[in-house]
Amino acid sequence: MSRQLGKYLILLEMVCTFIPVWSSNGIDRHAVVIRNNPHVTALDSLQSFTVGNGEFAMTVDATGLQTFPKLYSHGVCLGTMSDWGWHSFANPKHYTPADVLEPKDFGRGHKELYSLQFKQPGRQRDACNWLRANPHRLYLGTVGLNISHPGQLNHIQESLDMWTGKVSSSFFVKHDRYQVQTVCSPLYDRVSSLVTASVVPSVRIRFAYPTGGHSDDACNWQANSKHTTLVIKKIAHAVLLKRKIDATVYYVLVSWKGKADFIQKRANDFLLKAVGHQLDFSVEYSEDLAAVKSHISGLGSFALAERISAEYWQRYWEKGGIVDFSQVKDPLGRELERRIILSQYLLAVNDAGTTPPQETGLVYNSWFGKFHLEMTWWHLAHFALWGHPELLDRVLSWYQKVEPVARAIARRQGFDGVRWMKMTDPSGQEAPSNVGSYLIWQQPHLIYLAELLYRAHPSKSVLDKYGHLVEETAKFMYSFASYDSVNHRYVLKGCIPAQETLNASSTVNPPFELSYWHYALGVAQKWREREGLQRSARWDSLISQLSPLAANSDSLYLAAESVPETYKDIRYTSDHPAVLGALGILPDNSLINKKIMNNTLNWVMKKWNWDKTWGWDFPMTAMCAVRLHRPDTALEALMMKQRTNTYLVNGYNYQDDRLRIYLPGNGGLLAAVALMCAGWDGNKVSNPGFPKDWNVKWEGILPLP
């Protein structure tokens, strides 16, 4: 079976398995979506648009194609990326993960081997640098109009129609008019475009060598001799290209309707030129030669691709959750609705593939294109809450593939079960890190996300698929906790918490992690009961004796029990205010005193170093406020005017010059709004996260635990 056919069958099965249930509030979904369609009138590197199918995406500039990649390289880059497209540089010195392991003793009665970074020159440092940078995600190719000077463009009008997944652009090059339409196939890694011009249009198709850079567009245009693009088959209306980059091979199928000329200009650089004033063409990328060969005889017209895209996106919007702020008088409502609808689109485009997404999705590389498992909750939880559990299931299935790697990490550190890695790639290999290797809050995510799937579709099939992973994840959590026989309690130590400003060697009982251990182990017990098993007595013992959250004499929760100076040092009042995640992301539990949490929320809102935060900190803070029945505070936090809470015209959450897009912020926004609308188990308040005079209409959104 081809990968593409497999993708189609999986999607079809998912849609049929996860059936949404809601009562209609009479929302005109089409009107809500299209009134938030973004529009641009200039070549602005932060205003590019993305089309994609969750596993593959292409980002275009104001021409509707990737005409000026260098101009956009320091903005929202014109990426063409996929979940399957990865590359590694040669490894002549045979670096292995064993080269970067270092034993640590955190007082748990055994040595623990961690994958770390090294500063001193030598094999360990060189191995670390290679392992962090390899593999890296590939930029698959650039498809742009053959226009040389951006300054020639005028009268630009470009829009993204989220209801159909189509980018439409019209503009003039001097006095010559162009009209361009572009869509992405929901089933294949293919983009289709229709170019109409008053002159004969042509499209330039180029390929770059990878940079292997930490945060960039992944394009080295100065290394043509290091990679090849060969024409391996050509017929009247199509050409099949073979890309070879060191040991990496993939294929590109360029096809067109009507007459056109396909010309090689130079190495890795081609021109598709119309005969007449219209160019109707498609470009498909694949690692599967047999699959892409089967398409060479004809892919149909742009009109067909446009119809298939429109049908897919219409189903997406009609099936999932929706919010309508049209009856809200406060202008913040209009802006919040814009952010929500754009985030729903962007996350379906970038985050709904077969591996966990990277922070910058399929637009450009950050952290070498790798993904961070502590961010999976922010990237993915909203899919289950907003009526698209099949998309969460699609990504979460990856954990099954890498379970052996996670089990090996737990074993080498002397723990039971599986320890989920932090920074990784499709293979599950752990990237060396002096911070990431000590993080633990990615561990319970698997349990939480599996529970959201079950809540969306309570069935034996979900239990059968994820029950084993839930069990093995919980086994690690139990074995990681240490029993304090003097104080008769369980503690968490030897870790770096979600607020990454603390040290692993000295940190004891970070509050968010304590609350997460309490919640996730309780859920794991429920899964055992659902599967007809007895509760684990050991887990119940840990749950009942887990340390409460530590507070100071001012009744403020500490960044960790081991940090009494929390409110006197900027190290502990910047980065993530993770203490608020203990009640917000997570439900109330016996470890939490709501009065103290209220005090802590007040302090954070007034005095936190908000200029040193990240995009998901704002929704996390809002979620805490909602659980404390403070809707005004929730809205204030969610819409706070800070650089890292900026949402660009295209909807991407902007952080800084390095992270021009940050999808955990978009996902966090949707998770927070779900809580603000649908509340949580046992909540009796309608729209608990919004002021009483906000008439927010919604449907298709599930409550949180």
Side-chain angles (χ1 to χ4, degrees):
M1 181 188 297
S2 72
R3 187 183 65 83
Q4 287 91 343
L5 178 59
K7 181 196 294 185
Y8 173 78
L9 294 175
I10 289 170
L11 283 172
L12 182 62
E13 179 184 359
M14 288 174 175
V15 170
C16 294
T17 300
F18 295 101
I19 302 173
V21 179
W22 64 76
S23 59
S24 175
N25 284 326
I27 296 174
D28 185 341
R29 290 168 173 250
H30 178 257
V32 172
V33 173
I34 65 170
R35 68 175 174 243
N36 290 288
N37 284 339
H39 186 84
V40 301
T41 58
L43 283 167
D44 185 327
S45 65
L46 291 178
Q47 294 185 359
S48 45
F49 295 149
T50 307
V51 295
N53 58 33
E55 186 175 26
F56 164 86
M58 171 177 166
T59 302
V60 301
D61 60 28
T63 68
L65 289 168
Q66 300 165 313
T67 306
F68 304 112
K70 292 183 180 179
L71 182 65
Y72 282 68
S73 62
H74 297 292
V76 179
C77 304
L78 308 184
T80 305
M81 291 186 168
S82 69
D83 281 355
W84 53 262
W86 293 78
H87 167 266
S88 290
F89 293 125
N91 184 13
K93 295 188 177 180
H94 306 290
Y95 298 124
T96 70
D99 289 324
V100 294
L101 295 181
E102 184 87 351
K104 297 290 180 181
D105 186 349
F106 291 115
R108 285 187 277 254
H110 53 82
K111 292 290 180 68
E112 305 167 23
L113 285 172
Y114 286 86
S115 180
L116 302 179
Q117 295 168 270
F118 297 86
K119 296 182 180 180
Q120 295 300 318
R123 183 175 177 84
Q124 285 184 311
R125 187 181 71 175
D126 294 342
C128 167
N129 292 339
W130 192 91
L131 290 166
R132 282 177 63 82
N134 294 281
H136 39 264
R137 203 179 298 258
L138 271 176
Y139 184 107
L140 298 174
T142 298
V143 180
L145 292 169
N146 189 32
I147 301 170
S148 56
H149 301 294
Q152 296 176 334
L153 269 66
N154 59 84
H155 295 89
I156 295 169
Q157 298 289 336
E158 183 184 40
S159 62
L160 166 63
D161 183 354
M162 294 183 286
W163 189 258
T164 63
K166 181 173 70 174
V167 173
S168 299
S169 176
S170 68
F171 55 92
F172 286 82
V173 178
K174 294 184 177 179
H175 301 293
D176 299 319
R177 183 172 184 181
Y178 282 77
Q179 291 179 299
V180 180
Q181 300 175 78
T182 299
V183 297
C184 178
S185 168
L187 302 178
Y188 306 102
D189 298 342
R190 176 195 305 156
V191 289
S192 299
S193 294
L194 180 64
V195 181
T196 304
S198 58
V199 293
V200 176
S202 59
V203 170
R204 192 177 178 191
I205 302 171
R206 293 183 290 160
F207 303 95
Y209 190 71
T211 64
H214 181 280
S215 300
D216 64 6
D217 65 359
C219 292
N220 178 356
W221 295 105
Q222 309 303 317
N224 262 339
S225 62
K226 294 184 177 181
H227 61 119
T228 59
T229 309
L230 301 177
V231 177
I232 60 174
K233 187 170 185 179
K234 187 174 183 179
I235 60 175
H237 299 291
V239 62
L240 181 59
L241 306 175
K242 179 181 179 180
R243 293 277 297 132
K244 191 172 189 306
I245 312 170
D246 301 318
T248 299
V249 174
Y250 66 97
Y251 303 90
V252 183
L253 174 61
V254 183
S255 61
W256 55 90
K257 301 292 290 183
K259 292 184 178 181
D261 295 320
F262 188 84
I263 307 161
Q264 182 162 0
K265 295 184 64 177
R266 57 184 65 88
N268 308 302
D269 192 345
F270 302 85
L271 197 67
L272 178 63
K273 187 175 182 179
V275 176
H277 294 279
Q278 191 172 85
L279 188 57
D280 183 335
F281 72 99
S282 296
V283 181
E284 180 177 337
Y285 303 85
S286 179
E287 60 180 347
D288 186 338
L289 177 58
V292 78
K293 264 188 174 181
S294 69
H295 299 155
I296 196 169
S297 59
L299 298 179
S301 65
F302 173 79
L304 175 62
E306 179 184 31
R307 179 174 63 80
I308 293 171
S309 173
E311 290 173 352
Y312 172 82
W313 282 104
Q314 183 174 335
R315 286 195 302 270
Y316 174 81
W317 291 112
E318 290 179 342
K319 173 182 179 293
I322 198 77
V323 291
D324 180 355
F325 287 79
S326 61
Q327 302 303 310
V328 176
K329 296 180 180 179
D330 190 322
L332 280 180
R334 179 70 184 86
E335 171 60 14
L336 181 53
E337 182 186 273
R338 183 188 76 87
R339 296 183 182 192
I340 292 167
I341 300 301
L342 282 162
S343 293
Q344 287 181 271
Y345 173 82
L346 293 172
L347 292 163
V349 162
N350 286 284
D351 279 16
T354 50
T355 66
Q358 67 165 323
E359 264 81 327
T360 46
L362 300 169
V363 177
Y364 73 94
N365 277 350
S366 54
W367 288 276
F368 311 102
K370 297 185 178 182
F371 37 88
H372 297 168
L373 294 196
E374 87 278 18
M375 288 292 104
T376 52
W377 193 93
W378 297 108
H379 282 290
L380 304 177
H382 63 90
F383 283 132
L385 299 171
W386 286 75
H388 298 289
E390 74 282 357
L391 299 183
L392 169 57
D393 181 53
R394 187 181 180 196
V395 185
L396 209 60
S397 300
W398 172 84
Y399 281 80
Q400 296 175 310
K401 299 177 182 177
V402 300
E403 180 192 1
V405 184
R407 186 174 301 280
I409 295 172
R411 290 292 177 273
R412 77 165 194 245
Q413 294 176 353
F415 299 116
D416 297 334
V418 295
R419 181 171 190 172
W420 301 113
M421 53 294 292
K422 189 272 193 197
M423 176 175 158
T424 186
D425 59 72
S427 73
Q429 180 59 54
E430 185 181 25
S433 173
N434 288 342
V435 174
S437 295
Y438 298 119
L439 292 180
I440 58 172
W441 67 294
Q442 72 271 20
Q443 185 69 18
H445 285 344
L446 182 281
I447 296 176
Y448 198 141
L449 294 172
E451 176 70 1
L452 290 181
L453 275 179
Y454 182 82
R455 289 162 63 92
H457 183 64
S459 67
K460 188 175 184 299
S461 63
V462 175
L463 294 176
D464 289 345
K465 184 170 185 178
Y466 293 107
H468 173 69
L469 292 184
V470 168
E471 180 82 4
E472 295 303 303
T473 299
K475 284 180 180 178
F476 169 84
M477 294 174 67
Y478 175 81
S479 66
F480 184 85
S482 301
Y483 186 68
D484 176 2
S485 59
V486 175
N487 296 297
H488 307 291
R489 62 176 187 158
Y490 284 90
V491 301
L492 298 179
K493 62 181 182 179
C495 62
I496 292 179
Q499 186 179 359
E500 296 181 4
T501 57
L502 283 70
N503 296 319
S505 60
S506 57
T507 297
V508 177
N509 284 339
F512 176 57
E513 285 74 7
L514 283 173
S515 189
Y516 215 166
W517 249 240
H518 188 282
Y519 169 72
L521 283 169
V523 171
Q525 293 283 46
K526 289 181 183 178
W527 275 60
R528 289 182 64 86
E529 292 174 329
R530 290 166 184 162
E531 296 182 271
L533 302 173
Q534 294 291 322
R535 292 175 68 93
S536 166
R538 297 193 305 166
W539 298 358
D540 274 338
S541 175
L542 187 151
I543 292 168
S544 64
Q545 297 181 76
L546 200 56
S547 302
L549 277 59
N552 65 12
S553 58
D554 294 325
S555 291
L556 298 172
Y557 279 130
L558 302 175
E561 182 180 311
S562 52
V563 189
E565 68 276 21
T566 292
Y567 297 94
K568 300 176 182 178
D569 191 326
I570 191 174
R571 284 184 299 166
Y572 311 123
T573 56
S574 59
D575 199 65
H576 311 296
V579 59
L580 301 182
L583 178 66
I585 299 170
L586 303 170
D588 192 14
N589 62 62
S590 60
L591 307 182
I592 295 169
N593 180 309
K594 285 188 176 179
K595 182 177 180 181
I596 299 177
M597 189 61 80
N598 255 308
N599 294 340
T600 306
L601 176 59
N602 287 336
W603 195 99
V604 169
M605 288 296 295
K606 294 177 183 177
K607 299 183 180 181
W608 196 261
N609 291 287
W610 287 106
D611 60 335
K612 300 181 183 298
T613 52
W614 296 67
W616 54 269
D617 293 327
F618 305 96
M620 178 177 65
T621 303
M623 294 173 80
C624 181
V626 176
R627 299 257 194 189
L628 292 171
H629 303 284
R630 296 173 57 176
D632 292 305
T633 304
L635 194 60
E636 179 185 355
L638 196 65
M639 303 301 290
M640 192 179 296
K641 292 184 178 180
Q642 294 290 338
R643 184 193 71 252
T644 52
N645 200 33
T646 299
Y647 284 74
L648 301 172
V649 169
N650 49 31
Y652 284 116
N653 177 214
Y654 176 89
Q655 301 298 281
D656 54 27
D657 289 342
R658 181 185 61 162
L659 293 172
R660 285 88 68 189
I661 73 174
Y662 188 63
L663 292 168
N666 294 94
L669 171 74
L670 295 187
V673 173
L675 187 69
M676 296 168 81
C677 290
W680 59 93
D681 297 343
N683 167 64
K684 305 296 183 183
V685 180
S686 176
N687 285 349
F690 294 105
K692 295 300 181 186
D693 61 344
W694 277 48
N695 182 16
V696 179
K697 298 169 66 178
W698 59 270
E699 60 188 29
I701 303 174
L702 296 179
L704 275 76

